[in-house]
Structures are given as structure tokens and as C-alpha cells.
Amino acid sequence: MKQSYAQLLEMINQSYEKLTNIDLNNYQNKSVLIVGSGYIALEYIKVLKKLKIKDITILSKNKNSLDNKLLSKYKIISGGFEKKIGKIGKKDLTIITTPINLLTRAATLAIKSGQENILIEKPGSLFKTDLILLEKLIKKQKVRIAYNRLFYPNFQKLKILTEMDGGITSCKFDFTEWVHTIPFGKYKKEVYRRWGISNSLHVISMAMELIGMPEKITTNQYGNLKWHPTSSIFVGNGISVKKIPFSYHANWEGAGRWGIEVVTKKNIYRLSPLEKLFVSKKGSPEWKEIQIKNRFPKIKMGLAEEIITMLDGVLEKQLKMVTIKRAIEYNKLAEKIFAYKN
């Protein structure tokens, strides 16, 4: 049954209130398996500690690579997920944080070993074919992709405000990369060659969440970089399935930054930086920051909200985390925008 406007607004409001007024005592008896031990795994552990979750198992390739000061209280299994994941009992949540090229392999083995609630680090894979194969494997399991920026408190607030204004009428976004900050040499070559999927999908996914996926899109690519040969300048436009016109621009050889602007009949809203929300009222050139309640100011934004949503079935139905099917659509869109061949 189709939701009314009032029902939709109420549901978004309830979800926002729950995410910003979390009872930390609701999760302390949960069990979590983390596959991987790099930077993002440590960020998740900080969240789990904040949520008072003590039953944490870390599956690492090499025990010596771990930050033992942070992890000394938790169970660490070394030897790699290929050999050890099948020996671990079912957990309330499994988080896959391996390097990108191993994400779907680790998720596949997690499913085959009996795990049923699985969160995979974004983007899931650089290639949609990997995600298509993973989707075919899923039966009753809940498997989601961790696009944490979709759970920023300011992003959730933006959804409420635009609905209160009567809806978004147009959108533009910019995924210009700060090339000087890219850690070249840290990842495999293909990660950089498909940087649009590796990184820029953060912005693109946020825009699509607000306006819907493209019904029609025109994409243009210009220039090239040694590490990203398909293009360096990206310009395009289209109309979404919600009939919202949009445009985008990014120039990886020039200045600029990530950002999204959405227009309603009353206001224009801006996410730039993505962690903040600004508004300019119709008829005024002035931009004002909208203050947002952040329940977890000292940890990576969006991670706690993702974990809570994965552990709360009702909230997950309301917020609709990124499924494998939706991640495939994101990858397909990125292939068009960046002129990638699968």
C-alpha cells in the first residue's frame, strides 16, 4: 500500500529521533564478528565500545598488524578468514572490513558458514559482476553495504526538511576529488583506476538517495590522468525516477570539493562539507548552518547509526540500508558516469 505524505514524514521523523536519541544499554548483549583488522575495522571497534558491546571477535590475517592496546580486551583470531571463518559460531552481526578486492569473497564465506546479518564495507566491490554473484547466493540472510554517509544525522535531517517543504524540485552535486590527499601506493592499481567507485560513489549515492536513481542521464567525460585513464572531468545531467531534474560536475584536475545542493519551493539546502547542513531561504543570498544533534561526536560519522540499524529490524525497514541490489545499481551508474568497462 502506498504511503501518504503524512505517513512518510512521520516515519522519517521517527527514524531521525531514534538515531539521535540512542539508548546505549540496548546493545550491550549483542555479539559481533569483524573480518579484517585495518583502519576501518578499528573505527568500528570504537563504535562497538561506545555501544557497550563486549562480545567482539576479530578475525585477522596477521595478529602482529593489530593495535593491541585498543583490542586487548577482545577475542582475536589470526590466520585469515579463508581458513578460520567457518570455525566461528553465529553472531548477531558480522562486519566485513577487508581490502576491497576481498570483500565479496569474505561475505560469501560468511554466508556459507552460517552468518545471517552481514554488513560489508562500501562499495562491496569495484565490479558489479562480483555483486551479482553474491546476490544470487543470498537466501534468508540480510546483507547490506555500509554507505555510512547515508546515515549522517545532517543527511537524515535534510530528508525531513525537504519533505516538510513539499519535496525536492531539482538537485546538483559535485564529486571533485582532492587528488593531493589520495594515498597513492597504498592500494592495488585497480582501486585507483576505478576511483569513481572506490570513493566518489559516497557523494553520488547521497544524491541518488535524495532524488531517486536516474530515469534518463547524459554523461560526458573529458581529459585523463595517468592513474585514472578514462577521464578527469565529468559533466552530466538527467531526470530521476521521481521526476526530479539533476546535474553534476567534477574536475579532478582543478579546485573544488564534494557537495550536494537540493532546491525546494521554499529553500535551497547544501551539504558541503557533507558533514554539515546549510540553508538559504527563497529570496535571500545568505546561507545559515542548521545545527544538528550528533550522538557520537568523537567517532566516525554514520558508523554507529549503521550498526544500530543492522541490529534493529524495525529501524532497518524504515531507513532501508543499501542492499546488494541497490549497490549493483550504484556500480552501474558509476560505470556510465566514469566510462568504465566492467
Side-chain angles (χ1 to χ4, degrees):
M1 184 174 68
K2 190 175 181 179
Q3 290 177 313
S4 68
Y5 168 77
Q7 288 174 323
L8 176 62
L9 185 57
E10 177 63 20
M11 185 182 73
I12 296 172
N13 262 306
Q14 288 177 353
S15 300
Y16 174 76
E17 288 300 319
K18 189 161 187 176
L19 285 176
T20 53
N21 294 280
I22 296 162
D23 184 349
L24 301 180
N25 293 314
N26 287 346
Y27 308 96
Q28 57 188 349
N29 295 323
K30 298 295 185 180
S31 59
V32 178
L33 167 65
I34 298 179
V35 182
S37 58
Y39 160 75
I40 196 64
L42 298 178
E43 292 300 310
Y44 276 113
I45 290 164
K46 292 176 186 176
V47 174
L48 298 175
K49 184 179 179 181
K50 191 74 174 178
L51 294 176
K52 302 181 181 180
I53 297 175
K54 297 179 180 179
D55 187 353
I56 302 171
T57 302
I58 301 142
L59 184 48
S60 172
K61 182 178 181 180
N62 185 353
K63 197 169 185 177
N64 293 329
S65 67
L66 296 172
D67 184 338
N68 293 316
K69 184 177 180 181
L70 178 64
L71 307 180
S72 59
K73 296 180 181 179
Y74 309 116
K75 183 178 181 181
I76 301 171
I77 300 175
S78 58
F81 68 84
E82 296 269 5
K83 297 179 179 178
K84 300 296 181 72
I85 198 168
K87 300 176 182 179
I88 298 172
K90 185 179 176 181
K91 303 293 183 180
D92 293 311
L93 175 63
T94 297
I95 306 173
I96 310 294
T97 70
T98 64
I100 292 179
N101 62 305
L102 297 175
L103 288 170
T104 53
R105 176 60 179 162
T108 296
L109 292 179
I111 291 171
K112 290 182 176 180
S113 65
Q115 304 298 339
E116 295 185 354
N117 194 29
I118 302 169
L119 181 63
I120 309 171
E121 251 308 294
K122 58 196 172 297
S125 175
L126 296 174
F127 302 96
K128 66 177 183 287
T129 48
D130 292 338
L131 295 171
I132 291 170
L133 290 174
L134 181 62
E135 186 184 32
K136 290 178 180 178
L137 186 66
I138 298 169
K139 304 301 179 188
K140 62 180 180 179
Q141 300 87 358
K142 181 170 77 175
V143 183
R144 302 290 186 263
I145 305 295
Y147 277 89
N148 65 299
R149 285 169 175 78
L150 301 183
F151 288 82
Y152 280 4
N154 62 313
F155 183 75
Q156 295 297 320
K157 184 69 173 181
L158 175 59
K159 291 165 71 175
I160 295 172
L161 294 174
T162 53
E163 286 297 328
M164 290 176 64
D165 282 359
I168 296 169
T169 57
S170 65
C171 170
K172 67 176 180 179
F173 56 97
D174 188 324
F175 47 88
T176 293
E177 293 284 348
W178 283 1
V179 175
H180 64 285
T181 68
I182 296 175
F184 292 107
K186 183 178 180 179
Y187 308 116
K188 290 183 178 295
K189 188 176 181 179
E190 65 183 13
V191 173
Y192 302 104
R193 293 176 72 88
R194 298 175 76 87
W195 195 252
I197 293 176
S198 306
N199 210 48
S200 302
L201 267 181
H202 288 306
V203 186
I204 298 168
S205 64
M206 292 176 81
M208 296 303 105
E209 176 71 13
L210 290 168
I211 67 173
M213 293 295 286
E215 182 177 88
K216 296 180 181 178
I217 186 170
T218 300
T219 66
N220 298 281
Q221 303 86 23
Y222 307 93
N224 65 81
L225 296 165
K226 185 176 181 180
W227 57 274
H228 192 266
T230 63
S231 42
S232 59
I233 301 171
F234 317 89
V235 179
N237 65 84
I239 188 163
S240 77
V241 292
K242 294 181 180 180
K243 307 303 179 184
I244 300 172
F246 67 89
S247 65
Y248 66 83
H249 169 272
N251 186 335
W252 294 3
E253 295 187 64
R257 70 179 304 168
W258 286 359
I260 301 171
E261 289 187 5
V262 291
V263 181
T264 70
K265 291 184 178 180
K266 297 180 180 180
N267 300 298
I268 179 171
Y269 297 94
R270 176 185 291 167
L271 296 168
S272 184
L274 298 182
E275 295 80 7
K276 294 182 179 292
L277 175 60
F278 299 87
V279 62
S280 178
K281 296 189 176 297
K282 189 174 181 178
S284 171
E286 185 180 2
W287 287 91
K288 292 184 177 180
E289 183 176 356
I290 298 172
Q291 297 302 317
I292 303 296
K293 184 191 300 183
N294 184 359
R295 188 71 172 80
F296 304 95
K298 295 183 179 181
I299 58 179
K300 192 175 178 68
M301 280 183 71
L303 294 194
E305 291 83 356
E306 281 186 320
I307 290 174
I308 289 160
T309 304
M310 287 296 291
L311 293 171
D312 187 326
V314 175
L315 190 58
E316 205 279 328
K317 287 181 180 179
Q318 293 175 335
L319 289 172
K320 296 181 173 59
M321 292 190 70
V322 176
T323 62
I324 300 301
K325 182 177 181 180
R326 184 144 52 119
I328 292 169
E329 293 304 309
Y330 285 161
N331 278 36
K332 287 180 178 179
L333 176 58
E335 287 179 350
K336 290 181 181 179
I337 290 174
F338 297 98
Y340 296 149
K341 305 295 182 183
N342 193 46

